[in-house]
Amino acid sequence: MSFQAYLDAVEDKTGLTPRQLVDIANEHGYAADGVKAGEILEWLKADYGLGRGHGMALVHVIKKGPKIDAKHVGSGGSHSDESGTLWLDGKATKPA
């Protein structure tokens, strides 16, 4: 499953776009230096019922933003993405 597919599934599971979840994470201070992935994963599980895979996709955008490493773009592998920038504003507004 690609990074983008994980984020799209998070939207299905929570009813919130990835950007909304990133904004909430920022309000709670989860994007701050020193905050570990485990702490963010615990919050995502407790508040939104997200498991590790979906949570780690969100941890990436919370801590590093929407850019992903070029090795994940167009590789044809199971985690391959079409773009080096993840779409955070919801599936309904994603460009074709």
Side-chain angles (χ1 to χ4, degrees):
M1 182 180 281
S2 70
F3 271 97
Q4 190 64 58
Y6 271 111
L7 294 178
D8 291 347
V10 164
E11 183 178 352
D12 291 338
K13 291 174 178 279
T14 65
L16 298 169
T17 67
R19 184 162 320 276
Q20 289 171 313
L21 287 165
V22 169
D23 290 345
I24 294 167
N26 287 332
E27 290 171 10
H28 289 298
Y30 290 118
D33 289 342
V35 175
K36 302 286 185 193
E39 185 178 350
I40 299 169
L41 291 172
E42 288 176 18
W43 163 66
L44 291 170
K45 183 173 183 164
D47 286 14
Y48 301 103
L50 295 179
R52 182 170 179 79
H54 295 97
M56 285 304 293
L58 274 173
V59 166
H60 176 86
V61 295
I62 290 167
K63 298 298 276 181
K64 298 181 181 182
K67 299 282 185 192
I68 58 172
D69 192 294
K71 71 181 180 184
H72 297 294
V73 180
S75 66
S78 61
H79 296 298
S80 180
D81 275 283
E82 295 176 10
S83 170
T85 303
L86 300 167
W87 186 256
L88 304 181
D89 293 316
K91 296 185 316 181
T93 64
K94 192 181 336 176

Coordinates of all heavy atoms in Angstrom, one line a residue:
M1 N 0.8 -1.2 0.0 CA 0.0 0.0 0.0 C 0.9 1.2 0.0 O 1.8 1.3 0.8 CB -0.9 0.0 1.2 CG -1.9 1.1 1.3 SD -3.0 1.1 2.8 CE -4.2 -0.1 2.3
S2 N 0.6 2.2 -0.8 CA 1.4 3.4 -0.9 C 1.1 4.3 0.2 O 0.1 4.2 0.9 CB 1.1 4.1 -2.2 OG -0.2 4.7 -2.2
F3 N 2.0 5.3 0.4 CA 1.8 6.3 1.5 C 0.4 7.0 1.2 O -0.4 7.2 2.2 CB 2.8 7.4 1.4 CG 4.1 7.2 2.2 CD1 5.2 6.7 1.6 CD2 4.1 7.5 3.5 CE1 6.3 6.5 2.3 CE2 5.2 7.3 4.3 CZ 6.4 6.8 3.7
Q4 N 0.1 7.3 0.0 CA -1.1 8.0 -0.3 C -2.3 7.1 0.0 O -3.3 7.6 0.5 CB -1.2 8.5 -1.8 CG -2.3 9.4 -2.1 CD -2.3 10.7 -1.3 OE1 -1.3 11.5 -1.4 NE2 -3.3 11.0 -0.5
A5 N -2.2 5.9 -0.3 CA -3.3 4.9 -0.1 C -3.6 4.8 1.4 O -4.7 4.8 1.9 CB -3.1 3.6 -0.7
Y6 N -2.5 4.8 2.2 CA -2.7 4.8 3.7 C -3.4 6.1 4.1 O -4.3 6.0 4.9 CB -1.3 4.7 4.4 CG -0.8 3.3 4.6 CD1 0.3 2.8 4.0 CD2 -1.5 2.5 5.6 CE1 0.7 1.6 4.2 CE2 -1.0 1.3 5.8 CZ 0.1 0.8 5.2 OH 0.5 -0.5 5.4
L7 N -3.0 7.2 3.6 CA -3.6 8.5 4.0 C -5.1 8.5 3.6 O -6.0 9.0 4.3 CB -2.9 9.7 3.4 CG -1.5 9.9 4.0 CD1 -0.8 11.1 3.3 CD2 -1.5 10.0 5.5
D8 N -5.4 8.0 2.4 CA -6.8 8.0 1.9 C -7.6 7.1 2.9 O -8.8 7.4 3.2 CB -6.9 7.5 0.5 CG -6.3 8.5 -0.5 OD1 -6.1 9.6 -0.1 OD2 -6.1 8.1 -1.7
A9 N -7.0 5.9 3.3 CA -7.7 5.0 4.2 C -7.9 5.7 5.6 O -9.0 5.4 6.2 CB -7.0 3.7 4.3
V10 N -7.0 6.5 6.0 CA -7.1 7.2 7.3 C -8.4 8.1 7.2 O -9.1 8.2 8.1 CB -5.9 8.0 7.6 CG1 -6.1 9.0 8.7 CG2 -4.8 7.0 8.0
E11 N -8.5 8.8 6.1 CA -9.7 9.7 5.9 C -11.0 8.8 6.0 O -11.9 9.3 6.6 CB -9.6 10.4 4.6 CG -10.7 11.4 4.3 CD -10.6 12.1 3.0 OE1 -9.5 12.0 2.3 OE2 -11.5 12.8 2.7
D12 N -11.0 7.7 5.3 CA -12.2 6.8 5.4 C -12.5 6.4 6.8 O -13.6 6.4 7.3 CB -12.0 5.5 4.6 CG -12.0 5.8 3.1 OD1 -12.5 6.9 2.6 OD2 -11.4 5.0 2.3
K13 N -11.4 6.1 7.6 CA -11.6 5.6 9.0 C -12.0 6.6 10.0 O -12.7 6.4 10.9 CB -10.3 4.9 9.5 CG -10.0 3.6 8.8 CD -8.6 3.1 9.2 CE -8.3 1.8 8.6 NZ -8.9 0.6 9.2
T14 N -11.5 7.9 9.8 CA -11.7 8.9 10.8 C -12.7 10.0 10.4 O -13.2 10.7 11.2 CB -10.4 9.6 11.1 OG1 -9.9 10.3 9.9 CG2 -9.3 8.7 11.5
G15 N -13.0 10.1 9.1 CA -13.8 11.2 8.6 C -13.1 12.5 8.5 O -13.7 13.5 8.2
L16 N -11.8 12.5 8.8 CA -11.0 13.7 8.7 C -9.9 13.6 7.6 O -9.4 12.5 7.4 CB -10.3 13.9 10.1 CG -11.2 14.2 11.3 CD1 -10.4 14.1 12.6 CD2 -12.0 15.5 11.2
T17 N -9.7 14.7 7.0 CA -8.6 14.7 6.0 C -7.2 14.6 6.7 O -7.1 15.0 7.9 CB -8.6 15.9 5.1 OG1 -8.2 17.1 5.9 CG2 -9.9 16.1 4.4
P18 N -6.2 14.1 6.0 CA -4.9 14.1 6.6 C -4.5 15.5 7.1 O -3.9 15.6 8.2 CB -4.0 13.6 5.5 CG -4.9 12.7 4.7 CD -6.2 13.4 4.7
R19 N -4.8 16.5 6.3 CA -4.4 17.9 6.8 C -5.1 18.3 8.1 O -4.5 18.9 9.0 CB -4.7 18.9 5.7 CG -4.2 20.3 6.1 CD -4.1 21.3 5.1 NE -3.6 20.9 3.8 CZ -2.3 20.8 3.5 NH1 -1.4 21.0 4.4 NH2 -2.0 20.4 2.3
Q20 N -6.4 17.9 8.2 CA -7.1 18.2 9.5 C -6.4 17.5 10.7 O -6.2 18.1 11.7 CB -8.5 17.8 9.4 CG -9.4 18.6 8.5 CD -10.7 18.1 8.2 OE1 -10.9 16.9 7.9 NE2 -11.8 19.0 8.4
L21 N -6.0 16.2 10.4 CA -5.3 15.5 11.5 C -3.9 16.1 11.8 O -3.5 16.2 13.0 CB -5.2 14.0 11.1 CG -6.5 13.3 11.2 CD1 -6.4 11.9 10.5 CD2 -6.9 13.1 12.7
V22 N -3.2 16.5 10.8 CA -1.9 17.2 11.0 C -2.1 18.5 11.8 O -1.4 18.8 12.7 CB -1.2 17.5 9.7 CG1 0.0 18.4 9.9 CG2 -0.8 16.2 9.0
D23 N -3.2 19.2 11.5 CA -3.5 20.5 12.2 C -3.8 20.2 13.7 O -3.3 20.9 14.6 CB -4.6 21.2 11.6 CG -4.3 21.8 10.2 OD1 -3.1 21.9 9.9 OD2 -5.2 22.2 9.5
I24 N -4.5 19.1 13.9 CA -4.9 18.7 15.3 C -3.6 18.3 16.0 O -3.4 18.7 17.2 CB -5.9 17.6 15.3 CG1 -7.3 18.2 14.8 CG2 -6.1 17.0 16.7 CD1 -8.3 17.1 14.5
A25 N -2.8 17.5 15.3 CA -1.5 17.1 15.9 C -0.6 18.3 16.3 O 0.0 18.3 17.4 CB -0.7 16.2 15.0
N26 N -0.6 19.3 15.4 CA 0.2 20.5 15.7 C -0.4 21.2 16.9 O 0.4 21.7 17.8 CB 0.2 21.4 14.5 CG 1.1 20.9 13.4 OD1 2.0 20.2 13.6 ND2 0.8 21.3 12.2
E27 N -1.7 21.3 17.0 CA -2.3 22.0 18.2 C -1.9 21.3 19.5 O -1.8 21.9 20.5 CB -3.8 21.9 18.1 CG -4.4 22.9 17.0 CD -5.9 22.7 16.7 OE1 -6.5 21.9 17.5 OE2 -6.3 23.2 15.7
H28 N -1.8 19.9 19.4 CA -1.4 19.2 20.6 C 0.1 19.1 20.8 O 0.6 18.5 21.8 CB -1.9 17.7 20.5 CG -3.4 17.6 20.7 ND1 -4.1 18.0 21.8 CD2 -4.3 17.2 19.8 CE1 -5.4 17.8 21.6 NE2 -5.6 17.3 20.4
G29 N 0.9 19.7 19.9 CA 2.3 19.7 20.1 C 3.1 18.5 19.6 O 4.3 18.3 19.9
Y30 N 2.4 17.6 18.8 CA 3.1 16.4 18.4 C 4.1 16.6 17.3 O 4.9 15.7 17.0 CB 2.0 15.4 17.9 CG 1.2 14.8 19.0 CD1 -0.2 15.0 19.1 CD2 1.8 14.1 20.0 CE1 -0.9 14.5 20.1 CE2 1.1 13.6 21.1 CZ -0.3 13.8 21.1 OH -1.0 13.2 22.2
A31 N 4.1 17.8 16.6 CA 5.1 18.0 15.6 C 6.4 18.6 16.2 O 7.4 18.7 15.4 CB 4.5 19.0 14.6
A32 N 6.4 18.8 17.4 CA 7.6 19.4 18.1 C 8.8 18.5 18.1 O 8.6 17.3 18.1 CB 7.3 19.8 19.5
D33 N 10.0 19.1 18.0 CA 11.2 18.3 18.1 C 11.2 17.5 19.4 O 10.7 18.0 20.4 CB 12.4 19.2 18.1 CG 12.7 19.8 16.8 OD1 12.2 19.3 15.8 OD2 13.4 20.8 16.7
G34 N 11.6 16.3 19.4 CA 11.7 15.4 20.6 C 10.5 14.6 20.8 O 10.5 13.6 21.6
V35 N 9.4 14.8 20.1 CA 8.2 14.0 20.2 C 8.5 12.7 19.4 O 8.8 12.8 18.2 CB 6.9 14.7 19.8 CG1 5.7 13.8 19.8 CG2 6.7 15.9 20.6
K36 N 8.3 11.6 20.0 CA 8.6 10.3 19.4 C 7.4 9.8 18.6 O 6.3 10.1 19.0 CB 9.1 9.3 20.4 CG 10.3 9.7 21.2 CD 11.6 9.6 20.3 CE 12.8 9.9 21.1 NZ 13.9 10.2 20.3
A37 N 7.6 8.9 17.6 CA 6.6 8.3 16.9 C 5.6 7.6 17.8 O 4.4 7.6 17.6 CB 7.1 7.4 15.8
G38 N 6.2 6.9 18.7 CA 5.3 6.0 19.6 C 4.3 6.9 20.4 O 3.1 6.4 20.5
E39 N 4.6 8.1 20.8 CA 3.7 8.9 21.4 C 2.5 9.4 20.5 O 1.4 9.4 20.9 CB 4.4 10.2 22.0 CG 3.5 11.1 22.8 CD 4.3 12.3 23.3 OE1 5.5 12.3 23.2 OE2 3.6 13.2 23.8
I40 N 2.9 9.7 19.3 CA 1.9 10.0 18.3 C 1.0 8.8 17.9 O -0.2 9.0 17.8 CB 2.6 10.6 17.0 CG1 3.4 11.8 17.3 CG2 1.5 10.9 15.9 CD1 4.3 12.3 16.2
L41 N 1.6 7.7 17.8 CA 0.8 6.5 17.5 C -0.2 6.2 18.6 O -1.3 5.8 18.3 CB 1.8 5.3 17.3 CG 2.6 5.3 16.0 CD1 3.6 4.2 16.0 CD2 1.7 5.2 14.8
E42 N 0.2 6.3 19.9 CA -0.7 6.1 21.0 C -1.9 7.1 20.9 O -3.0 6.7 21.2 CB 0.1 6.3 22.3 CG 1.0 5.2 22.7 CD 1.8 5.5 23.9 OE1 1.4 6.4 24.7 OE2 2.9 4.8 24.1
W43 N -1.6 8.3 20.6 CA -2.7 9.3 20.5 C -3.6 8.9 19.3 O -4.9 9.0 19.5 CB -2.1 10.7 20.3 CG -3.0 11.7 19.7 CD1 -4.1 12.2 20.4 CD2 -3.0 12.3 18.4 NE1 -4.8 13.1 19.6 CE2 -4.1 13.2 18.4 CE3 -2.2 12.2 17.4 CZ2 -4.4 14.0 17.2 CZ3 -2.4 13.0 16.2 CH2 -3.5 13.9 16.2
L44 N -3.1 8.6 18.2 CA -3.9 8.2 17.0 C -4.8 7.0 17.3 O -5.9 6.9 16.9 CB -3.0 8.0 15.8 CG -2.4 9.3 15.2 CD1 -1.3 8.9 14.2 CD2 -3.4 10.2 14.7
K45 N -4.2 6.0 18.0 CA -5.0 4.8 18.4 C -6.1 5.2 19.4 O -7.2 4.7 19.2 CB -4.0 3.8 19.0 CG -4.8 2.5 19.3 CD -3.8 1.4 19.7 CE -4.7 0.1 19.9 NZ -3.9 -1.1 19.9
A46 N -5.7 5.9 20.4 CA -6.7 6.2 21.5 C -7.8 7.1 21.0 O -9.0 6.8 21.3 CB -6.0 6.9 22.7
D47 N -7.5 8.1 20.2 CA -8.5 9.1 19.8 C -9.2 8.7 18.5 O -10.4 9.1 18.2 CB -7.9 10.5 19.6 CG -7.6 11.1 20.9 OD1 -7.7 10.5 22.0 OD2 -7.4 12.4 20.9
Y48 N -8.5 7.9 17.6 CA -9.1 7.6 16.3 C -9.1 6.2 15.9 O -9.6 5.8 14.8 CB -8.3 8.4 15.2 CG -8.4 9.9 15.5 CD1 -7.3 10.6 16.0 CD2 -9.5 10.7 15.2 CE1 -7.3 11.9 16.3 CE2 -9.6 12.0 15.4 CZ -8.5 12.6 16.0 OH -8.6 14.0 16.3
G49 N -8.6 5.3 16.7 CA -8.7 3.9 16.5 C -7.7 3.4 15.4 O -8.0 2.4 14.7
L50 N -6.7 4.2 15.1 CA -5.8 3.9 14.0 C -4.7 2.9 14.4 O -4.2 3.0 15.5 CB -5.1 5.1 13.4 CG -6.1 6.1 12.7 CD1 -5.3 7.3 12.2 CD2 -6.9 5.5 11.6
G51 N -4.4 1.9 13.6 CA -3.3 1.0 13.8 C -2.0 1.6 13.4 O -1.9 2.7 12.9
R52 N -1.0 0.8 13.5 CA 0.4 1.2 13.3 C 0.7 1.6 11.9 O 1.3 2.7 11.7 CB 1.4 0.1 13.7 CG 2.8 0.5 13.5 CD 3.8 -0.5 14.1 NE 5.1 -0.1 13.9 CZ 5.8 0.8 14.7 NH1 5.2 1.4 15.6 NH2 7.0 1.1 14.4
G53 N 0.2 0.9 10.9 CA 0.5 1.2 9.5 C -0.1 2.6 9.1 O 0.6 3.5 8.6
H54 N -1.4 2.8 9.4 CA -2.0 4.0 9.1 C -1.4 5.2 9.9 O -1.2 6.3 9.5 CB -3.5 3.9 9.3 CG -4.2 3.0 8.4 ND1 -4.4 1.7 8.7 CD2 -4.6 3.1 7.1 CE1 -5.0 1.1 7.7 NE2 -5.1 1.9 6.7
G55 N -1.1 4.8 11.2 CA -0.5 5.8 12.1 C 0.8 6.3 11.6 O 1.2 7.5 11.7
M56 N 1.7 5.4 11.1 CA 3.0 5.7 10.7 C 3.0 6.6 9.4 O 3.8 7.5 9.3 CB 3.9 4.5 10.4 CG 4.3 3.8 11.7 SD 5.2 4.9 12.9 CE 6.7 5.2 11.9
A57 N 2.0 6.4 8.6 CA 1.8 7.3 7.4 C 1.6 8.7 7.9 O 2.1 9.7 7.4 CB 0.7 6.8 6.5
L58 N 0.7 8.9 8.9 CA 0.4 10.2 9.5 C 1.6 10.7 10.3 O 1.9 11.9 10.2 CB -0.8 10.1 10.4 CG -2.1 10.3 9.7 CD1 -3.3 10.0 10.7 CD2 -2.2 11.7 9.1
V59 N 2.3 9.9 11.0 CA 3.5 10.3 11.7 C 4.5 11.0 10.7 O 5.1 12.1 11.0 CB 4.2 9.2 12.4 CG1 5.6 9.6 12.9 CG2 3.4 8.8 13.7
H60 N 4.6 10.4 9.5 CA 5.5 11.0 8.5 C 5.1 12.4 8.2 O 6.0 13.3 8.2 CB 5.5 10.1 7.3 CG 6.4 10.7 6.2 ND1 7.7 10.5 6.1 CD2 6.0 11.5 5.2 CE1 8.2 11.1 5.0 NE2 7.2 11.8 4.5
V61 N 3.9 12.6 7.9 CA 3.5 14.0 7.5 C 3.4 14.9 8.6 O 3.6 16.1 8.4 CB 2.1 14.0 6.7 CG1 2.3 13.2 5.3 CG2 1.0 13.4 7.4
I62 N 3.2 14.4 9.8 CA 3.2 15.3 11.0 C 4.6 15.8 11.3 O 4.9 17.0 11.5 CB 2.6 14.6 12.2 CG1 1.1 14.4 12.1 CG2 3.0 15.3 13.5 CD1 0.5 13.4 13.1
K63 N 5.6 14.9 11.2 CA 7.0 15.2 11.5 C 7.8 15.8 10.3 O 8.7 16.6 10.5 CB 7.7 14.0 12.1 CG 7.1 13.5 13.4 CD 7.1 14.4 14.5 CE 8.4 14.4 15.2 NZ 8.5 15.3 16.3
K64 N 7.5 15.3 9.1 CA 8.3 15.7 8.0 C 7.6 16.4 6.8 O 8.2 16.8 5.9 CB 8.9 14.4 7.4 CG 9.8 13.7 8.4 CD 10.4 12.4 7.7 CE 11.3 11.7 8.8 NZ 11.9 10.5 8.2
G65 N 6.3 16.6 6.9 CA 5.6 17.2 5.9 C 5.2 16.3 4.8 O 5.4 15.0 4.9
P66 N 4.6 16.8 3.7 CA 4.0 15.9 2.7 C 5.0 15.3 1.6 O 4.6 14.5 0.8 CB 3.0 16.8 2.0 CG 3.5 18.2 2.1 CD 4.2 18.2 3.5
K67 N 6.2 15.7 1.7 CA 7.2 15.2 0.7 C 7.7 13.8 1.1 O 7.9 13.6 2.3 CB 8.4 16.1 0.6 CG 8.1 17.5 0.2 CD 7.9 17.6 -1.3 CE 7.7 19.1 -1.8 NZ 7.3 19.2 -3.1
I68 N 7.8 13.0 0.1 CA 8.3 11.6 0.4 C 9.6 11.4 -0.4 O 9.9 12.1 -1.4 CB 7.3 10.5 0.1 CG1 6.8 10.5 -1.4 CG2 6.2 10.6 1.1 CD1 6.0 9.4 -1.7
D69 N 10.4 10.5 0.0 CA 11.7 10.1 -0.7 C 11.4 9.7 -2.1 O 10.4 8.9 -2.4 CB 12.4 9.0 0.1 CG 13.8 8.8 -0.3 OD1 14.0 8.4 -1.5 OD2 14.7 9.1 0.5
A70 N 12.2 10.1 -3.0 CA 12.0 9.8 -4.5 C 12.1 8.3 -4.7 O 11.5 7.8 -5.7 CB 13.1 10.4 -5.3
K71 N 12.7 7.5 -3.8 CA 12.7 6.0 -4.0 C 11.3 5.4 -4.0 O 11.1 4.3 -4.4 CB 13.7 5.4 -3.0 CG 13.1 5.3 -1.6 CD 14.1 4.7 -0.7 CE 13.6 4.7 0.7 NZ 14.6 4.1 1.7
H72 N 10.3 6.1 -3.4 CA 9.0 5.6 -3.3 C 8.1 6.1 -4.5 O 6.9 5.7 -4.6 CB 8.3 6.1 -2.0 CG 9.0 5.6 -0.8 ND1 9.0 4.3 -0.4 CD2 9.7 6.3 0.2 CE1 9.7 4.2 0.7 NE2 10.1 5.4 1.1
V73 N 8.6 6.9 -5.4 CA 7.8 7.4 -6.5 C 8.1 6.6 -7.8 O 9.2 6.5 -8.2 CB 8.2 8.9 -6.7 CG1 7.4 9.5 -7.8 CG2 8.0 9.7 -5.4
G74 N 7.0 6.1 -8.3 CA 7.1 5.4 -9.6 C 7.9 4.1 -9.6 O 8.3 3.7 -10.6
S75 N 8.2 3.5 -8.4 CA 9.1 2.4 -8.3 C 8.4 1.1 -8.8 O 9.0 0.1 -9.1 CB 9.6 2.2 -6.9 OG 8.5 1.9 -6.0
G76 N 7.0 1.1 -8.8 CA 6.3 -0.1 -9.2 C 6.2 -1.1 -8.0 O 5.5 -2.1 -8.2
G77 N 6.8 -0.8 -6.9 CA 6.7 -1.7 -5.8 C 5.4 -1.5 -5.0 O 4.6 -0.7 -5.4
S78 N 5.2 -2.3 -4.0 CA 3.9 -2.3 -3.2 C 3.7 -0.9 -2.5 O 2.6 -0.6 -2.2 CB 3.9 -3.4 -2.2 OG 4.9 -3.3 -1.3
H79 N 4.8 -0.2 -2.3 CA 4.7 1.1 -1.6 C 4.9 2.3 -2.5 O 5.1 3.4 -2.1 CB 5.7 1.2 -0.4 CG 5.4 0.2 0.7 ND1 4.2 0.2 1.4 CD2 6.1 -0.9 1.1 CE1 4.3 -0.8 2.2 NE2 5.4 -1.5 2.1
S80 N 4.8 2.0 -3.8 CA 5.0 3.0 -4.8 C 3.9 4.1 -4.8 O 2.8 3.8 -4.8 CB 5.1 2.4 -6.2 OG 5.4 3.3 -7.2
D81 N 4.4 5.4 -4.9 CA 3.4 6.5 -5.1 C 3.6 7.1 -6.4 O 4.7 7.0 -7.0 CB 3.7 7.5 -4.0 CG 3.0 7.2 -2.7 OD1 1.7 7.4 -2.6 OD2 3.6 6.7 -1.7
E82 N 2.6 7.8 -6.9 CA 2.6 8.5 -8.2 C 3.3 9.8 -8.1 O 3.8 10.3 -9.1 CB 1.2 8.7 -8.7 CG 0.4 7.5 -9.0 CD -1.1 7.7 -9.4 OE1 -1.4 8.9 -9.6 OE2 -1.8 6.8 -9.4
S83 N 3.4 10.4 -7.0 CA 4.0 11.7 -6.8 C 4.9 11.8 -5.6 O 4.7 11.0 -4.6 CB 2.9 12.8 -6.7 OG 3.4 14.0 -6.3
G84 N 5.8 12.7 -5.6 CA 6.7 12.9 -4.5 C 6.1 13.8 -3.4 O 6.7 14.0 -2.3
T85 N 4.9 14.3 -3.6 CA 4.2 15.1 -2.7 C 2.8 14.4 -2.4 O 2.1 14.2 -3.3 CB 4.0 16.5 -3.2 OG1 5.3 17.1 -3.5 CG2 3.3 17.4 -2.1
L86 N 2.6 14.1 -1.1 CA 1.3 13.5 -0.7 C 0.2 14.5 -0.7 O 0.4 15.7 -0.3 CB 1.5 12.9 0.7 CG 2.6 11.8 0.7 CD1 2.9 11.4 2.2 CD2 2.1 10.6 0.0
W87 N -1.0 14.1 -1.1 CA -2.2 15.0 -1.1 C -2.8 14.9 0.3 O -3.3 13.8 0.7 CB -3.1 14.6 -2.2 CG -4.3 15.5 -2.3 CD1 -5.5 15.3 -1.8 CD2 -4.2 16.8 -2.9 NE1 -6.3 16.4 -2.1 CE2 -5.5 17.4 -2.7 CE3 -3.2 17.6 -3.5 CZ2 -5.8 18.6 -3.2 CZ3 -3.6 18.8 -3.9 CH2 -4.8 19.3 -3.8
L88 N -2.9 16.0 1.0 CA -3.4 16.0 2.4 C -4.8 16.6 2.5 O -5.4 16.5 3.6 CB -2.4 16.8 3.3 CG -1.0 16.3 3.3 CD1 -0.2 17.2 4.3 CD2 -0.9 14.9 3.7
D89 N -5.4 17.1 1.4 CA -6.6 17.8 1.5 C -7.9 17.0 1.2 O -8.9 17.6 1.0 CB -6.6 19.1 0.7 CG -5.5 20.1 1.2 OD1 -5.5 20.3 2.4 OD2 -4.7 20.6 0.4
G90 N -7.8 15.7 1.3 CA -8.9 14.9 1.1 C -9.1 14.3 -0.3 O -8.7 14.9 -1.3
K91 N -9.6 13.1 -0.3 CA -9.8 12.4 -1.5 C -10.7 13.1 -2.5 O -10.4 13.1 -3.7 CB -10.4 11.0 -1.3 CG -9.5 10.1 -0.4 CD -10.0 8.7 -0.3 CE -11.4 8.6 0.1 NZ -11.9 7.3 0.3
A92 N -11.7 13.8 -2.1 CA -12.7 14.4 -2.9 C -12.0 15.6 -3.7 O -12.5 15.9 -4.8 CB -13.9 14.9 -2.1
T93 N -11.0 16.2 -3.2 CA -10.4 17.3 -3.9 C -9.0 17.0 -4.6 O -8.4 17.8 -5.1 CB -10.1 18.5 -2.9 OG1 -9.2 18.0 -1.9 CG2 -11.4 18.9 -2.2
K94 N -8.7 15.7 -4.5 CA -7.4 15.2 -5.1 C -7.4 15.4 -6.6 O -8.4 14.9 -7.3 CB -7.1 13.8 -4.7 CG -5.7 13.4 -5.1 CD -5.4 11.9 -4.8 CE -6.2 11.2 -3.7 NZ -5.9 9.8 -3.5
P95 N -6.4 16.0 -7.2 CA -6.3 16.2 -8.6 C -6.2 14.8 -9.3 O -5.6 13.9 -8.7 CB -5.1 17.0 -8.9 CG -4.7 17.6 -7.6 CD -5.3 16.7 -6.5
A96 N -6.8 14.7 -10.5 CA -6.8 13.4 -11.2 C -5.5 13.0 -11.7 O -4.6 13.8 -12.0 CB -7.8 13.4 -12.3

